[in-house]
Amino acid sequence: QVQLVESGGGSVQPGGSLRLSCAASGDTANYNCIAWFRQAPGNEREGVITRHIENGRDWLADSAKGRFSISQDQAKNTVYLQMHMLKPEDTAIYYCAAGRGAAGYCPSLQRLNAYHYWGQGTQVSVSS
């Protein structure tokens, strides 16, 4: 089993920045990809960014390109989502999720069910 705990959410003004953390524990050998998803009220959960922990490759949704990045601290089993130039439409609950990719690739961000472990989410609100 893998446990994921997100933190760092909060309220920020448009154009601001925020860094979310995802701390993993348990049997971390069960996954090699960590992703961030988000879900706004009334919307389906959508993928934002995913990283292959072993080779450092990232895949970003169009909404994240140029504004969001992912980093990791392997010693702490923690992955971070750095968000810049936040917009009101970025308001959502942000979840981190872990899954296993193959051949150096992570499961597509459209394949939510390929990510087997999920955190409880952290709220991000962007408004003036």
Side-chain angles (χ1 to χ4, degrees):
Q1 281 293 335
V2 176
Q3 293 78 44
L4 302 173
V5 179
E6 302 95 336
S7 61
S11 297
V12 63
Q13 292 186 337
S17 298
L18 208 58
R19 190 179 80 159
L20 307 182
S21 301
C22 174
S25 61
D27 193 354
T28 55
N30 282 347
Y31 66 90
N32 56 11
C33 292
I34 288 279
W36 287 93
F37 292 82
R38 66 186 183 183
Q39 187 167 17
N43 289 0
E44 294 185 351
R45 195 168 297 188
E46 62 176 6
V48 176
I49 191 169
T50 187
R51 160 165 286 197
H52 198 289
I53 298 297
E54 295 164 356
N55 63 28
R57 293 185 65 184
D58 301 335
W59 290 266
L60 287 79
D62 287 344
S63 60
K65 291 177 181 177
R67 300 189 302 127
F68 295 2
S69 62
I70 191 170
S71 61
Q72 63 190 81
D73 184 335
Q74 288 186 302
K76 295 182 180 179
N77 283 329
T78 299
V79 169
Y80 304 97
L81 175 64
Q82 181 68 58
M83 302 184 290
H84 297 293
M85 296 182 287
L86 284 162
K87 306 173 183 178
E89 51 263 44
D90 294 318
T91 295
I93 299 174
Y94 283 71
Y95 300 89
C96 67
R100 176 156 289 279
Y105 290 86
C106 284
S108 165
L109 289 169
Q110 282 74 45
R111 293 181 57 209
L112 276 69
N113 59 2
Y115 291 86
H116 301 296
Y117 306 102
W118 291 80
Q120 81 290 348
T122 186
Q123 176 71 48
V124 171
S125 298
V126 185
S127 68
S128 54

